[in-house]
Amino acid sequence: MINKIVAAFFSAIICIAACGQNKSIDSLKQQLSVAKNDTSRVLIFTDLSFTFGFINSDSALLYAAKAIDLAKQIHFVRGEIRGAFCKASVLETNGEMPEALEIGFNALEMAQKANLLLETSMCLTLIGNIFYDLDDYTKAISFYQQATLINEVIKNQPGSEFWKWQTEINFGTVFMLNDQLDSSFAHLHKGFIETLHDDKWHPVFLMFFGQLQFKMGKQDTGLNYLHESIKLFENNNDPYSTSDACRIIATCFKEKNEIDSSIFYARKALLKAQSINYKTSILDASKLLAELYESKDVKQALYFRKVFDTTNDILYGPNKVKSLQKTLSDQEDHQRKNEAERIAYQNRVKQFILLAGLIVFMLIGFILYRNYRRSKKTNELLQQQKEKVESTLSELKSAQAQLIQSEKMASLGELTAGIAHEIQNPLNFVNNFSEVNKEMIDELQTELKSGNVDEAINISNDIKDNEEKINHHGKRADAIVKGMLQHSRRNSGQKEPTDINALCDEYLRLAYQSIRAKDKEFNTEIKTDFDETIGKINIVPQDIGRVLLNLFNNGFYAVNEKFTANRSPLTDNYKPTVSVQTKKLNDKIEIIVSDNGNGIPQNIIDKIFQPFFTTKPTGEGTGLGLSLAYDIITKEHNGTIKVESKKGEGSIFIINVPAI
């Protein structure tokens, strides 16, 4: 019997969510009098249908029909579904299960096609209620579960509180029917506590929680809750719920064998049900009364049995069963048809996808083939361009090698000029003293022939002094040549311990003598500041010498250029200066070469280490000197070289190499 109570209750409760608050009939009719034939009028019709469902089922069906008709006219799908829902709910209450089920399935299909989640959940719950009435619990639970999944999705929408409590009632009563009392308690107790201040929901939880308490052995508590729920239902003028609560409490008193109390509430349940033509409740109440009077009053028992048989025939007679079977059969045929259409549609989609895939594949194949042809032509063109580039690169490398050789030869020429000028001085001494000694030997011979021994001895002493000077300057020239040979060995190319201070000093003098050989009037001040703590470091001496020679030559060229351009009485105070300084900085050796020449313009200072870039006039430089210096320092010696310069004030080149 409880399943019919649950079904009827759910039917009423779902209308609350679907149709809105339980407004008064007068208020709704007033709204209807001013409403236009639009969606609001449809919703007012559904509100009236729901409200009259508690008073007059004929009026409820009338307003549901009006809602459906107007919704169809204005193509308001949501309103049509809700009207059908209200109609099916009234038919279910009146025991017209086949028609209610047919309307419910049609409404469900409409809601699903329109993707209306709230209406879909309403229809699923309605169909579940009908299957409960038909004692098909498996199907009922299946539809409830589908509705619950949708309720989870829409739980944050307006009215979500309703779905929360509906879920608790659904599962609480289902578990109670299956004698899973602990699980039922978890759901019903939660709703009982959290709806204490809700006039609509709390009486419902009181009714079912009271029944659960009675089944769990707390009979007095359960009966108190049921009494309280009846009072609240009566205060709310809710004959449906009053009939249900009276029937439940009558069943409890029967279990306690309090027959009089059971008969009292069973008769009250029957009267309330008959007043609103609540057939499912009439059926259960009359059956209960027939059982109760069987041992007390046979005449009364037969009367209530007759009421039961009449109602049962209306609800479950042969015609109803046949109609219900037809409805279920039609629904199954409809589902099979839908499934066949779905499969056919899926097959068409698969065929379309396959055809589209084939077309795409052919298109991709065509594009790939076209791209292959283009790529082939492009590769052939690139191969031709590559060959041209390689040929040009080969020519450039050859030209570069020639330029580098020219730069080396230029450096060699400058180095040779410096060496020649350096050796020239001792050679001059050797030549001059040799000439003097030749003349003095003639004088010595003359004096010896004359017998002037003392004078001859003096001359021989002078000749001896001159020979010592000749020997000294000869050794000096020999040392210069040997030193240069040592730094220009062709088979070196490897790092070796080298005195960097001596190397700087030697190439500074050679560079100075080189420019002096070109311009006898040129004169400059040379400054050196060597850190004597450096000692020897591992470098390639001839390569570092080439770097230093290039920097010194550039410095002397810069100061000479400035000196020549400013040689006038007004600028006699300019004193050309080239300096070199060495420092030991932790694990690095720093070499600083500076001059006070014209400096380097800022717009080209970033380019001076680029190959073939030069600021010297055509024919005076290849533009490879600083480029080679950069490669020697950075690539061969893992060091750095940078420049600082101010226009008109001079330049400073700073070299850093490892101290090891």
Side-chain angles (χ1 to χ4, degrees):
M1 182 169 60
I2 186 60
N3 59 299
K4 295 178 176 57
I5 295 172
V6 174
F9 166 71
F10 285 148
S11 178
I13 290 300
I14 197 70
C15 286
I16 295 173
C19 305
Q21 297 177 349
N22 186 10
K23 303 172 183 177
S24 69
I25 293 176
D26 291 339
S27 174
L28 290 170
K29 286 184 176 180
Q30 177 64 32
Q31 294 179 33
L32 187 64
S33 66
V34 296
K36 298 179 180 180
N37 284 338
D38 56 12
T39 57
S40 62
R41 190 175 183 85
V42 174
L43 295 178
I44 293 172
F45 280 142
T46 58
D47 282 354
L48 282 167
S49 177
F50 165 72
T51 306
F52 271 111
F54 291 94
I55 302 171
N56 188 312
S57 60
D58 292 336
S59 297
L61 290 172
L62 174 64
Y63 283 111
K66 288 184 177 182
I68 294 170
D69 291 340
L70 180 56
K72 287 181 178 180
Q73 291 177 21
I74 63 175
H75 306 291
F76 182 28
V77 178
R78 187 189 300 273
E80 185 179 352
I81 296 170
R82 290 192 177 189
F85 174 86
C86 289
K87 181 178 180 179
S89 297
V90 174
L91 291 173
E92 178 206 354
T93 304
N94 291 341
E96 301 294 334
M97 302 302 176
E99 188 177 356
L101 192 60
E102 182 178 0
I103 294 173
F105 277 127
N106 291 336
L108 175 62
E109 184 176 6
M110 292 173 60
Q112 289 174 335
K113 285 183 178 180
N115 196 30
L116 299 172
L117 297 182
L118 174 60
E119 284 69 24
T120 300
S121 176
M122 290 163 50
C123 293
L124 287 168
T125 304
L126 170 67
I127 295 170
N129 293 341
I130 296 172
F131 278 113
Y132 245 118
D133 282 342
L134 298 172
D135 295 332
D136 192 341
Y137 302 138
T138 303
K139 286 186 178 179
I141 292 173
S142 173
F143 283 101
Y144 283 145
Q145 288 174 338
Q146 294 178 59
T148 301
L149 293 176
I150 296 176
N151 295 342
E152 283 297 315
V153 176
I154 62 175
K155 64 182 180 181
N156 293 324
Q157 294 182 8
S160 61
E161 189 75 9
F162 162 77
W163 301 108
K164 173 183 176 182
W165 299 134
Q166 177 188 310
T167 301
E168 299 299 335
I169 288 290
N170 269 336
F171 287 105
T173 52
V174 167
F175 285 132
M176 183 164 54
L177 286 172
N178 291 330
D179 290 326
Q180 295 175 263
L181 302 186
D182 290 340
S183 299
S184 178
F185 182 87
H187 292 279
L188 294 178
H189 182 261
K190 178 181 179 182
F192 174 79
I193 296 300
E194 295 186 17
T195 61
L196 286 173
H197 304 291
D198 190 319
D199 293 339
K200 295 185 182 302
W201 280 104
H202 190 62
V204 178
F205 278 103
L206 268 174
M207 178 173 64
F208 289 116
F209 192 58
Q211 183 185 17
L212 177 64
Q213 291 288 298
F214 189 90
K215 288 175 70 69
M216 295 179 71
K218 299 180 180 180
Q219 295 184 348
D220 291 340
T221 302
L223 291 173
N224 288 335
Y225 286 160
L226 286 166
H227 279 299
E228 188 177 352
S229 71
I230 292 171
K231 290 180 182 179
L232 292 174
F233 288 138
E234 289 178 333
N235 291 337
N236 289 338
N237 193 25
D238 183 354
Y240 285 94
S241 299
T242 303
S243 177
D244 291 335
C246 288
R247 197 168 63 254
I248 292 173
I249 198 170
T251 304
C252 292
F253 278 122
K254 181 184 177 184
E255 289 184 19
K256 288 187 68 177
N257 202 29
E258 296 182 15
I259 304 302
D260 291 339
S261 295
S262 179
I263 290 174
F264 173 79
Y265 282 105
R267 292 180 72 93
K268 188 173 182 178
L270 179 61
L271 290 173
K272 289 289 184 181
Q274 288 174 331
S275 69
I276 55 175
N277 198 26
Y278 184 5
K279 288 187 174 60
T280 53
S281 186
I282 293 172
L283 182 72
D284 289 335
S286 61
K287 181 181 179 182
L288 179 60
L289 284 168
E291 293 173 353
L292 291 170
Y293 276 110
E294 189 174 0
S295 59
K296 289 176 67 71
D297 188 337
V298 175
K299 185 177 179 180
Q300 288 290 326
L302 289 174
Y303 169 77
F304 288 117
R305 183 68 189 183
K306 184 177 180 180
V307 173
F308 170 78
D309 290 338
T310 302
T311 307
N312 187 64
D313 187 59
I314 294 173
L315 291 176
Y316 306 110
N319 292 334
K320 289 291 179 70
V321 172
K322 186 182 295 184
S323 178
L324 182 63
Q325 289 175 343
K326 183 178 182 303
T327 300
L328 293 174
S329 177
D330 290 344
Q331 179 61 26
E332 290 176 357
D333 290 341
H334 184 67
Q335 288 180 346
R336 283 194 294 268
K337 181 180 177 181
N338 287 342
E339 182 66 15
E341 290 178 352
R342 185 183 66 82
I343 294 173
Y345 173 76
Q346 288 180 344
N347 290 336
R348 289 196 299 272
V349 171
K350 289 178 181 178
Q351 290 174 358
F352 174 77
I353 292 174
L354 182 62
L355 181 60
L358 182 61
I359 293 173
V360 171
F361 179 75
M362 292 175 64
L363 181 61
I364 292 173
F366 172 75
I367 293 172
L368 291 175
Y369 176 73
R370 186 185 62 179
N371 289 345
Y372 168 74
R373 293 293 301 274
R374 289 181 178 178
S375 177
K376 184 177 180 182
K377 291 180 180 179
T378 302
N379 289 338
E380 290 175 355
L381 181 60
L382 288 174
Q383 184 62 29
Q384 294 174 2
Q385 292 176 347
K386 178 184 176 184
E387 292 174 357
K388 291 181 180 179
V389 170
E390 288 177 347
S391 176
T392 303
L393 181 61
S394 178
E395 293 174 0
L396 286 173
K397 287 182 177 179
S398 177
Q400 184 183 27
Q402 293 177 8
L403 287 171
I404 292 174
Q405 186 62 27
S406 298
E407 178 68 22
K408 290 181 178 180
M409 292 305 294
S411 298
L412 181 60
E414 293 176 351
L415 184 61
T416 302
I419 294 172
H421 196 277
E422 186 74 9
I423 295 176
Q424 189 64 46
N425 287 332
L427 286 179
N428 286 339
F429 279 108
V430 171
N431 291 334
N432 291 337
F433 283 116
S434 295
E435 290 293 333
V436 171
N437 278 357
K438 183 178 179 182
E439 293 176 359
M440 292 183 71
I441 288 173
D442 290 338
E443 291 179 5
L444 175 61
Q445 290 176 350
T446 302
E447 293 297 331
L448 288 174
K449 289 178 182 180
S450 300
N452 191 353
V453 178
D454 292 335
E455 187 62 28
I457 291 173
N458 290 333
I459 292 172
S460 66
N461 288 334
D462 291 337
I463 292 173
K464 182 179 179 181
D465 291 339
N466 288 342
E467 284 298 325
E468 290 178 354
K469 292 177 180 179
I470 290 171
N471 184 57
H472 170 72
H473 288 291
K475 288 182 178 179
R476 179 183 169 193
D478 180 63
I480 292 171
V481 172
K482 286 181 178 179
M484 293 311 303
L485 288 174
Q486 181 180 2
H487 293 306
S488 62
R489 291 195 302 271
R490 295 186 63 86
N491 61 347
S492 177
Q494 294 184 355
K495 295 180 180 180
E496 58 185 64
T498 304
D499 187 339
I500 192 66
N501 292 336
L503 193 68
C504 290
D505 185 63
E506 184 176 353
Y507 277 93
L508 179 63
R509 287 187 292 102
L510 290 175
Y512 178 66
Q513 296 301 335
S514 174
I515 196 168
R516 285 277 296 167
K518 296 177 183 178
D519 185 358
K520 301 296 184 182
E521 296 183 2
F522 174 74
N523 192 14
T524 185
E525 181 179 1
I526 296 175
K527 293 182 178 179
T528 59
D529 182 10
F530 297 136
D531 186 347
E532 299 299 335
T533 65
I534 294 176
K536 293 185 177 183
I537 61 174
N538 284 325
I539 58 173
V540 182
Q542 62 270 30
D543 288 345
I544 295 296
R546 183 177 295 138
V547 173
L548 293 171
L549 183 63
N550 185 278
L551 296 180
F552 293 146
N553 284 338
N554 288 345
F556 287 127
Y557 179 89
V559 296
N560 187 34
E561 184 182 43
K562 184 175 181 178
F563 176 77
T564 303
N566 294 279
R567 190 178 294 168
S568 67
L570 298 177
T571 58
D572 286 343
N573 58 345
Y574 173 66
K575 188 174 184 180
T577 304
V578 175
S579 63
V580 59
Q581 180 184 13
T582 60
K583 295 180 183 178
K584 185 173 184 180
L585 304 174
N586 297 326
D587 58 344
K588 294 181 180 180
I589 301 299
E590 188 173 78
I591 305 170
I592 303 173
V593 178
S594 59
D595 65 74
N596 61 347
N598 287 321
I600 304 170
Q602 289 298 316
N603 62 329
I604 65 169
I605 198 167
D606 293 334
K607 302 178 181 179
I608 63 171
F609 293 113
Q610 296 178 4
F612 312 114
F613 180 82
T614 181
T615 58
K616 295 179 181 178
T618 303
E620 294 190 23
T622 63
L624 289 173
L626 288 177
S627 174
L628 288 172
Y630 183 85
D631 287 345
I632 290 171
I633 295 299
T634 60
K635 296 179 181 179
E636 294 183 10
H637 290 81
N638 196 28
T640 61
I641 179 171
K642 61 181 181 178
V643 60
E644 298 174 359
S645 182
K646 287 186 179 181
K647 182 67 176 178
E649 295 184 13
S651 302
I652 301 174
F653 285 84
I654 303 171
I655 298 172
N656 279 285
V657 293
I660 57 174

